[in-house]
Structures are given as C-alpha cells and as structure tokens.
C-alpha cells in the first residue's frame, strides 16, 4: 500500500461537463493525481435519483468517462460506481447511522425535489433522491478518503459524511473511519453567465452552462452576452456577481496577464466590458480548443480506454470489499465466505 494520502471525488453522468464542474472540481482532480492516491468515480447510482432513461444513463456513463480522460484524468484512477456495488451495501448500513431529521435539512434535496417534480409526469420524487447524501457518504468513506475535492455546493454533504463517520465510530467503539476534509479550488462556485445569481448548472437549461467542449461560435455568443452590470460600480471596491464571475473564470484559465490588466482597468475605471468579455472568451477558448483536440484522440482509443476502466473498477473494488468486510464485522453483521 502506498503511504500517499487518499483523494476521492465523483461526478454524476447526467450529460455534458461544464466549466462549473471543471473549475470547481475536475481541474483539481487532474492536478492532485501527481501527489495523492486518487480515486474518481462516475456515479451512475446517483444519476438514477432523478427521472431518467436507462438507455441514456449507460451512454452518458461511458461518455463521461471518455470526457474525463480527455480532460486529463488518468483511466487507472477512474471507476464506475455500479461496477462497485459495495457502495450500495454501505449505503444501507449508513442509513441506520444517519437521522431522518438531518436528511430533511439538506438544501440540495429541496432544490432537486422541485426539479424532479417538474421533470416527471406524475410528480414523482424518489426515496433515492432523499437518501442521496447517505450514498455519497458511502462513496467517500468506503475508500477512507483523506480529502474530497468538490465545489462549494457539496459542503453540506461533506458535513453529513463526517457526521455519519463519527456516529459509526462512536457506536462501534473504534476510530475506524477517517473524517474526510473538503478541498476547494480557487473557484469553488462558478456562476451562470446568463444569470449570475444562480450557479452554473445543466439543470437550469442550455444558456446557463458552458460545456468544456463548447464549439467556438457558441462559446463566443455565450461569453459575449454574459450578464455584467450597468457599469456603476467600475472604479469602486465593489463588484457585481457577474463581473466577479468573469474575473474568476479568466484566472482559473491561467490567463493571469489578462486578469491583471482587466483588474487594473476595473480599479482605475477604464475597463470596457466588451474587451473584458473578449478576454474571458479567449481564456476559455484556449481550454476548449485543447480539450476538443484531446477528445478526438481519446475517441480513437475508445475501446482500449473502456477496457482499462473495467479493470481499474475491479482493482478499486478490492478496497471497497475490504471496508465492507470490516464494517460488517464491527456492526454485528454476518461475514461468511460461501
Ligand atoms: P455533480 O455531478 O453535480 O458535480 C461534479 C462536481 O462539480 C462541482 N460543481 C461546481 N463547482 C463550482 N461551480 C459550479 N457551478 C459547479 N457545479 C458543479 C460539484 O461541486 C462537484 O464537485 N453529489 C455530487 C457527486 C458525488 C460526489 C460523491 C462528490 C457523488 N458522490 C462523493 C464527491 C464525493 C454531485 O452531484 O456532483
């Protein structure tokens, strides 16, 4: 076993990856691979909690795997959640270490249950959606992760994860689970360009997110029409959410020179939002064009990558199996080898 600290994170296969996912999490996933023992999941059990199509789910799962590889995630660090069913087993056990009252406080459930209602024909909200954070705790604790790189929207789920770990440890009388720490990037909350009061997300619709593979023309249109403000705050110490978001994006793209220039111009009152948006477009375009190129290469090796993922999932499953064995022992369940 390596003595490196372990990092665990995951993403749902619900369609395209956008720059919120990238700057909030995936960019960090890629960087952390050098220094840590990293495990990254495509969590298809989670994606079943909202109304969904089975055929599309499998397509999206493979699609997301290939996209993550194109963004720089190593195939040997990736697994598909349903190939490691121990997550679901630990989910059940953790259900009995998590209070119903705590789950009722989860803000994501409040937002998502509303969306589920709107998406389904019969106002259907699954029990899985309510229980979602407990499965997320199982995803993290099953690998005894030290760090969890995620966006700001996951803070509450991480808090719950630590609470479950604590309760389990207390009840079985052993410090078995590590309490994982949240790891934020410098851009833990990317906002929608069309409506900076909400976060960038797929569920709000096409205009509220920018894909990491966005085609140039569409990218230009989305960035150039980004909502800023009337310009009243230019030259002051204050900044609107829309302007702040564009600055965050330029910086996260690594365009520090453009960032410094625009920031100086904002402060001395000479900034023009047209030029500022052009700088943001150029910063994003330098990434999208690289990712699109990588994607073509990945697609040419699609079959090989899929085989690698099946293998890495089997390797990662061994860690999960050991945890389940320990947990069953500690929790008073049966552990018989048939
Ligand atoms: P998901 O699939 O919604 O998003 C994947 C990652 O992207 C981050 N993110 C953002 N960061 C900054 N700004 C945004 N606008 C933005 N939108 C999304 C998310 O915070 C996340 O890190 N519940 C998780 C998936 C999950 C998970 C886990 C994560 C399941 N099990 C275990 C960590 C550990 C989710 O729905 O992420």
């Amino acid at each position: 076993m390596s003595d490196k600290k372990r990092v665990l994170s995951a993403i749902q296969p619900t369609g395209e990856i956008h720059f919120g996912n990238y700057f909030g999490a995936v960019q960090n996933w890629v960087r952390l691979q050098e220094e840590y023992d990293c495990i990254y999941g495509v969590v298809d059990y989670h994606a079943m909690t909202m109304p969904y199509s089975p055929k599309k789910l499998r397509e999206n799962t493979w699609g997301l795997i290939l996209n993550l590889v194109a963004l720089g995630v190593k195939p040997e660090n990736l697994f598909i959640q349903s190939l490691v069913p121990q997550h679901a087993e630990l989910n059940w056990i953790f259900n009995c270490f998590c209070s119903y009252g705590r789950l009722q406080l989860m803000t994501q459930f409040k937002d998502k249950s509303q969306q589920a209602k709107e998406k389904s024909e019969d106002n259907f909200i699954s029990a899985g959606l309510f229980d979602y954070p407990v499965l997320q705790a199982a995803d993290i604790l099953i690998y005894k992760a030290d760090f969890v790189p995620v966006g700001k929207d996951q803070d509450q789920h991480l808090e719950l994860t630590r609470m479950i770990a604590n309760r389990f440890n207390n009840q079985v009388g052993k410090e078995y689970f590590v309490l994982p720490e949240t790891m934020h990037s410098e851009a833990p909350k990317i906002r929608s360009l069309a409506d900076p009061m909400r976060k960038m997300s797929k569920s709000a619709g096409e205009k509220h997110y920018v894909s990491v593979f966005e085609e140039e023309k569409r990218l230009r249109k989305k960035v150039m029409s980004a909502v800023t403000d009337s310009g009243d705050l230019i030259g002051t110490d204050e900044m609107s959410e829309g302007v702040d978001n564009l600055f965050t994006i330029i910086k996260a793209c690594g365009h520090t020179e453009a960032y410094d220039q625009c920031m100086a111009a904002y402060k001395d009152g000479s900034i023009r939002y047209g030029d500022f948006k052009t700088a943001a477009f150029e910063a994003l375009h330098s990434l999208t064009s690289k990712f699109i190129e990588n994607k073509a290469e990945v697609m040419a090796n699609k079959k090989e990558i899929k085989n690698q993922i099946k293998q890495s999932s089997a390797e990662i499953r061994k860690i999960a199996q050991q945890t389940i064995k320990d947990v069953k022992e500690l929790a008073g369940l049966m552990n018989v080898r048939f």
Side-chain angles (χ1 to χ4, degrees):
M1 239 186 86
S2 89
D3 49 8
K4 287 181 176 173
K5 293 260 185 195
R6 179 164 291 154
V7 162
L8 177 289
S9 197
I11 182 167
Q12 293 196 67
T14 46
E16 294 174 81
I17 307 189
H18 53 68
F19 275 105
N21 301 132
Y22 186 71
F23 293 136
V26 180
Q27 191 180 36
N28 243 350
W29 295 11
V30 175
R31 288 180 184 148
L32 294 166
Q33 292 180 122
E34 298 305 318
E35 207 182 317
Y36 295 92
D37 171 16
C38 297
I39 301 179
Y40 300 128
V42 169
V43 287
D44 47 356
Y45 284 145
H46 282 271
M48 297 171 72
T49 57
M50 293 289 279
Y52 80 104
S53 132
K55 184 169 172 280
K56 241 180 153 179
L57 176 59
R58 197 168 297 127
E59 266 171 38
N60 282 344
T61 299
W62 281 123
L64 182 54
I65 287 279
L66 297 170
N67 286 343
L68 289 168
V69 174
L71 296 179
V73 181
K74 294 182 187 166
E76 63 265 33
N77 293 339
L78 278 170
F79 75 98
I80 296 175
Q81 190 184 31
S82 59
L83 293 178
V84 190
Q86 286 76 11
H87 287 236
E89 190 172 358
L90 189 58
N91 178 193
W92 176 258
I93 295 172
F94 280 169
N95 278 336
C96 307
F97 290 85
C98 178
S99 80
Y100 174 77
R102 276 306 282 244
L103 280 181
Q104 278 182 312
L105 300 176
M106 296 292 120
T107 53
Q108 280 221 339
F109 176 72
K110 290 175 194 158
D111 298 344
K112 292 255 168 135
S113 54
Q114 193 52 40
Q115 285 170 27
K117 254 185 169 176
E118 285 160 16
K119 264 180 103 174
S120 69
E121 278 159 21
D122 52 357
N123 285 344
F124 184 75
I125 301 170
S126 74
L129 185 64
F130 184 67
D131 200 36
Y132 179 113
V134 184
L135 178 58
Q136 181 161 349
D139 299 339
I140 298 167
L141 297 174
I142 206 163
Y143 301 109
K144 311 218 186 87
D146 299 288
F147 300 109
V148 186
V150 283
K152 189 120 191 59
D153 59 348
Q154 298 300 316
D155 284 0
Q156 206 185 19
H157 290 163
L158 265 292
E159 198 49 54
L160 185 84
T161 300
R162 287 185 283 270
M163 213 203 69
I164 292 174
N166 225 344
R167 191 171 180 90
F168 183 90
N169 289 349
N170 285 340
Q171 203 158 325
V172 304
K174 186 175 175 183
E175 290 300 301
Y176 180 72
F177 284 115
V178 176
L179 300 199
E181 277 179 45
T182 309
M183 212 183 222
H184 282 322
S185 69
E186 280 183 27
K189 183 177 179 183
I190 297 292
R191 297 169 179 276
S192 155
L193 299 184
D195 178 2
M197 295 317 284
R198 58 203 297 178
K199 70 171 184 180
M200 182 174 285
S201 89
K202 282 165 291 201
S203 51
E206 161 76 31
K207 68 174 180 174
H208 292 289
Y209 70 88
V210 179
S211 161
V212 293
F213 302 106
E214 198 79 61
E215 182 269 322
E216 181 174 352
K217 230 167 118 187
R218 282 231 307 258
L219 176 66
R220 190 186 295 274
K221 193 164 167 229
K222 283 185 179 177
V223 179
M224 296 315 282
S225 57
V227 171
T228 48
D229 52 44
S230 57
D232 293 355
L233 298 174
I234 295 176
T236 72
D237 287 338
E238 278 178 72
M239 204 175 263
S240 67
E241 283 80 3
V243 171
D244 183 55
N245 195 38
L246 290 176
F247 271 115
T248 303
I249 287 173
I250 296 173
K251 198 169 187 187
C253 292
H255 279 216
T256 39
E257 209 174 299
Y259 175 88
D260 290 343
Q261 273 172 11
C262 291
M263 190 55 91
Y266 185 86
K267 285 185 178 154
D268 72 19
S270 65
I271 197 166
R272 286 204 312 240
Y273 283 159
D275 300 340
F276 178 44
K277 289 180 187 175
T278 302
F281 163 76
E282 281 168 2
L284 284 170
H285 186 241
S286 66
L287 292 187
T288 51
S289 51
K290 191 173 79 189
F291 296 152
I292 291 168
E293 218 179 285
N294 294 351
K295 180 74 191 281
E297 219 173 286
V298 163
M299 291 313 274
N301 300 314
K302 194 164 131 182
K303 221 170 141 199
E304 198 189 316
I305 294 171
K306 283 189 174 184
N307 283 332
Q308 274 179 299
I309 299 300
K310 287 177 197 159
Q311 235 172 24
S312 57
S313 299
E315 278 304 310
I316 287 166
R317 188 168 58 202
K318 289 182 193 160
I319 308 171
Q321 273 166 332
Q322 183 58 49
T323 306
I324 284 291
K325 195 164 165 258
D326 297 346
V327 165
K328 287 175 90 173
E329 196 60 43
L330 289 165
L333 294 162
M334 294 295 169
N335 250 331
V336 179
R337 212 203 271 255
F338 293 104

